Amino acid sequence: MVPLSQKGPFRTIHVMASPVAPCPRCGALAKLNEIRPRFFWEPHFERESIVEVMVPCYICSACPLGERWFMVLPHDYQTSGQYTVMAKLMVLALVSEAGMAFEVAAAFAATYFHLTQLHATTIMDWFRDKGEHVDKAAHMQNALKLFSGQMAIDEVYDGGYYQIKVTDPLSGLEIVWKMGKGSPNEEDVKTLLLELKAAGFMPSLIVTDGSTLYPKVIKEVWPACEHQRCVFHVIKQINVLLMQAFWVLYNAMPKVPKRKPGRPRKNKSNRGRKRSDETRKANRLTVKNARFFLMTREEHLTDDERATLNAALGLCQGLSELRRFVLAVYELFGPTTDSHECATARRDAILNNPAFQTMACLSKAMKILSDDDLFIRLTRYLDFENAEKTSNHVERMNRLYRKRQKGHYRLRSLRSIFALLDLLRTRRPAHMKEPLKLIRKSRDGCCTQQTEMEVAA
């Protein structure tokens, strides 16, 4: 590679040289020894650009031999490599903010910033270094200030390691993560939650999926905190059972008989008329195609999809009741259910429906809804005005991590993974203009913001 000093042309910056300067190691005053040039690539939108910085160099007599020499660089050039601080920041923004892979960021920087000698491995080193210098303590303090009062917790598995992640779904913040080998246990979760408690976090509501890792530990660490089971996961579980019920009803439809070998005979009575087995075949196909729309909310169906579904409902016995059950479940956990009384009444209406009770294929789904303890945990969000009833936020953060890791390809070592996790954790959501607070419903129907002191009490 050709040295930067031989590439030219370049602009020159002279740093004001003081006769003495404080030593960065011991603080003693050191004498000026020489003025030495250093060359840096800088980003430019029109051409390659190199800057020459005339740097004053000093020798400290108080430091031991071999550690006496140092130079004084301006802030914009305080880097050990051949790129200015601005160049590093602009390229790292392509990776950290825009989500580019290292190779793509290097190609982009070469084309638009004219940093033609920049390699993907250099960007990866910058990325790791930035992740290792994240101020975690400052992030925790900032997250505590913005904390809404609700947490979401979920774990993800990556090879032989696990990650437990805690987020604030209302404010869109990642609060903390924990990584370890194998699979987590309750003690691992407890250690993480105690760390949050020691930092000052006092949540009023925590939402998780159906994992058994969390309920007991949450109750132990924060006795006054309510535990919300993820509504999305339970509806997903019910929909799997309802799809099995669909196939039971579909298989009960009249089947198309096998034709006898040879060409069918024709006579005057059936000439020009459609064969009955062709009608049965078309009916079964219509019902089969409608399975994609059976579990879809009414407002999400197009006119054509609604027409297909309505045609199928009239062709398959029991399918109309199955559709009614689907809509009743969505209504039970939908936005119009705004109180515990309303939720209980709608659940009772489902469980006491004679048509639903007589359909054997609905028994497993009915059993889930009849679980009183599960139903109480599913409706904890009704105690609050603006609580999240799903753990989808923390799962989205986990999917973002997997997507970024897969897109970068090189992020496989623990050092790289830790850097990625910390950089993702400390980014502030672009959509959040002001912190949101969890609002608890009072008994008289008014809404109140529950403070951390009230939760602690």
Side-chain angles (χ1 to χ4, degrees), residues 5-194:
S5 59
Q6 300 179 17
K7 281 184 172 290
F10 44 81
R11 64 188 184 94
T12 302
I13 296 177
H14 293 273
V15 181
M16 184 177 295
S18 174
V20 292
C23 176
R25 301 182 185 91
C26 65
L29 293 179
K31 293 182 178 181
L32 177 66
N33 181 57
E34 62 175 337
I35 304 293
R36 180 179 295 183
R38 278 197 62 185
F39 298 88
F40 299 89
W41 287 98
E42 62 178 354
H44 201 284
F45 293 111
E46 296 180 355
R47 54 177 172 77
E48 290 185 351
S49 179
I50 301 170
V51 58
E52 178 189 35
V53 182
M54 302 303 295
V55 186
C57 303
Y58 298 83
I59 294 181
C60 176
S61 58
C63 289
L65 291 175
E67 298 180 3
R68 295 182 174 183
W69 186 89
F70 67 92
M71 64 174 60
V72 177
L73 281 164
H75 179 269
D76 293 341
Y77 303 94
Q78 290 180 3
T79 172
S80 59
Q82 294 184 334
Y83 294 88
T84 64
V85 173
M86 180 57 66
K88 293 178 64 173
L89 292 176
M90 292 176 68
V91 174
L92 279 174
L94 299 176
V95 178
S96 300
E97 305 300 328
M100 291 186 181
F102 300 124
E103 291 79 4
V104 178
F108 187 96
T111 303
Y112 296 100
F113 301 156
H114 293 90
L115 302 176
T116 56
Q117 303 299 314
L118 183 60
H119 196 270
T121 54
T122 302
I123 302 177
M124 184 173 66
D125 289 339
W126 293 348
F127 183 85
R128 288 172 171 171
D129 185 67
K130 182 180 179 182
E132 291 170 351
H133 286 84
V134 166
D135 192 341
K136 300 178 183 179
H139 169 73
M140 290 291 281
Q141 293 176 2
N142 183 58
L144 184 60
K145 292 178 182 178
L146 301 175
F147 182 52
S148 67
Q150 182 175 7
M151 288 180 178
I153 310 177
D154 191 28
E155 77 277 2
V156 65
Y157 299 90
D158 187 9
Y161 295 88
Y162 70 84
Q163 295 171 25
I164 303 175
K165 191 168 292 185
V166 182
T167 71
D168 181 343
L170 292 184
S171 298
L173 294 172
E174 291 189 38
I175 301 176
V176 71
W177 58 268
K178 175 182 174 63
M179 190 170 181
K181 286 187 176 182
S183 300
N185 52 39
E186 290 185 356
E187 196 61 34
D188 296 321
V189 178
K190 184 178 179 180
T191 301
L192 182 62
L193 297 191
L194 287 175

